[in-house]
């Protein structure tokens, strides 16, 4: 079985501040991990994914995430928040035996204050 | 390249009525997924197709939900009869392959309100 926990359903930062969204996973086999972003009334868009090639993964819009096996974490960061980053962010997990079926966390809503 | 298309975007029905959603995946994508996203939660997979065959439907409430992908391209998801708890956004996604970690591309979703 696999699962994802996103700590903090709402995160608020000031424009220009560091963004840190937390994701912890549980998987009995080596995982593949994803971060998706969802803007209002839109579908999910892939930000980045971990496929075991490198533990530090860089994605679109200046986001990056680091896979830490010892902490079972895959936190998402961005050095400087922009107003356009306000959205809902979802962490998801799958693995080789899961047929590419994603298990999502509950999501974190990021708010950016001017 | 055209993305995943879904229709309708919004649907309001009364409980016990029937409703159907349509999805057209990205051209050439063999794998198609339907997710249910209840307000305030992450998406939950309902069913996965590989071409016109079902890969997994273990989380599909089969007493009221059905889905088909007859020609291995577009797909329909039906609810009959609808319950209040079916109010959610229904997301369709597609990927080129059915093996991890192939990227899934999502459509804009259909927002269903059951009154």
């Amino acid at each position: 079985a696999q699962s994802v926990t996103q700590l903090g359903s709402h995160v608020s930062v000031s424009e220009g501040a560091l963004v840190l969204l937390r994701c912890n996973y549980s998987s009995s086999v080596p995982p593949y991990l994803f971060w998706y972003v969802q803007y209002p009334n839109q579908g999910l868009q892939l930000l980045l994914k971990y496929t075991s090639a490198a533990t530090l993964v860089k994605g679109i819009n200046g986001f990056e995430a680091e896979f830490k096996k010892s902490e079972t974490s895959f936190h998402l960061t961005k050095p400087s928040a922009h107003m356009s980053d306000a959205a809902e962010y979802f962490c998801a997990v799958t693995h080789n035996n899961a047929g590419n079926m994603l298990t999502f966390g509950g999501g974190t809503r990021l708010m950016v204050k001017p | 390249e055209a993305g995943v298309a879904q229709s309708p975007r919004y649907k309001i029905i009364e409980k016990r009525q029937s409703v159907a959603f349509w999805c057209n995946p990205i051209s050439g994508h063999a794998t198609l997924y339907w997710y249910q996203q209840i307000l305030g939660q992450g998406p939950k997979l309902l069913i996965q197709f590989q071409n016109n065959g079902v890969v997994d439907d273990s989380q599909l409430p089969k007493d009221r939900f059905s889905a088909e992908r007859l020609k291995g391209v577009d797909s329909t998801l039906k609810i009959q009869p609808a319950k209040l708890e079916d109010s959610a956004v229904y997301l369709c996604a597609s990927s080129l392959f059915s093996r991890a970690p192939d990227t899934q591309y999502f459509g804009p979703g259909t927002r269903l309100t059951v009154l």
Side-chain angles (χ1 to χ4, degrees):
Chain A
Q2 55 191 23
S3 65
V4 172
T5 301
Q6 292 183 239
L7 289 176
S9 58
H10 292 80
V11 170
S12 181
V13 301
S14 297
E15 191 172 20
L18 171 72
V19 175
L20 171 61
L21 304 181
R22 299 179 185 275
C23 171
N24 287 90
Y25 70 91
S26 173
S27 178
S28 56
V29 296
Y32 299 116
L33 294 155
F34 303 74
W35 275 100
Y36 280 87
V37 61
Q38 186 176 35
Y39 298 101
N41 298 317
Q42 294 186 29
L44 281 70
Q45 178 185 5
L46 181 69
L47 280 176
L48 50 82
K49 66 179 179 182
Y50 166 73
T51 61
S52 74
T55 57
L56 182 62
V57 183
K58 295 186 183 297
I60 62 172
N61 302 338
F63 284 94
E64 63 181 37
E66 186 172 8
F67 173 71
K68 293 187 177 181
K69 184 178 178 180
S70 60
E71 299 177 7
T72 61
S73 69
F74 190 57
H75 302 330
L76 183 70
T77 61
K78 182 175 180 177
S80 177
H82 192 272
M83 296 296 290
S84 61
D85 294 327
E88 186 103 26
Y89 292 79
F90 292 95
C91 183
V93 64
T94 189
H95 56 77
N96 279 333
N97 300 331
N100 208 33
M101 290 182 291
L102 293 175
T103 299
F104 284 87
T108 297
R109 181 166 299 279
L110 175 66
M111 295 166 283
V112 182
K113 298 176 292 186
Chain B
E1 178 182 81
V4 176
Q6 290 188 247
S7 67
R9 291 295 312 276
Y10 305 91
K11 189 73 177 179
I12 300 174
I13 62 173
E14 299 202 345
K15 61 183 179 184
R16 292 188 289 274
Q17 286 187 323
S18 301
V19 65
F21 313 126
W22 176 82
C23 171
N24 193 34
I26 293 173
S27 177
H29 280 196
T31 310
L32 186 147
Y33 315 77
W34 283 103
Y35 289 86
Q36 180 192 57
Q37 185 179 18
I38 293 172
L39 186 65
Q41 299 181 19
K44 183 185 80 172
L45 180 71
L46 293 176
I47 188 168
Q48 177 182 352
F49 290 96
Q50 172 71 13
N51 296 312
N52 61 350
V54 175
V55 175
D56 189 281
D57 62 357
S58 58
Q59 298 195 83
L60 187 73
K62 298 181 186 62
D63 57 334
R64 298 184 300 106
F65 285 65
S66 64
E68 59 183 15
R69 194 184 184 201
L70 292 176
K71 296 182 179 179
V73 180
D74 56 349
S75 174
T76 55
L77 176 69
K78 297 178 181 177
I79 308 175
Q80 180 179 13
K83 293 185 176 181
L84 296 177
E85 57 262 36
D86 298 331
S87 294
V89 175
Y90 290 85
L91 295 166
C92 179
S94 70
S95 64
L96 197 55
F97 305 112
S98 63
R99 61 179 183 269
D102 204 29
T103 298
Q104 294 184 26
Y105 297 87
F106 286 79
T110 296
R111 183 177 299 275
L112 173 67
T113 302
V114 182
L115 302 175

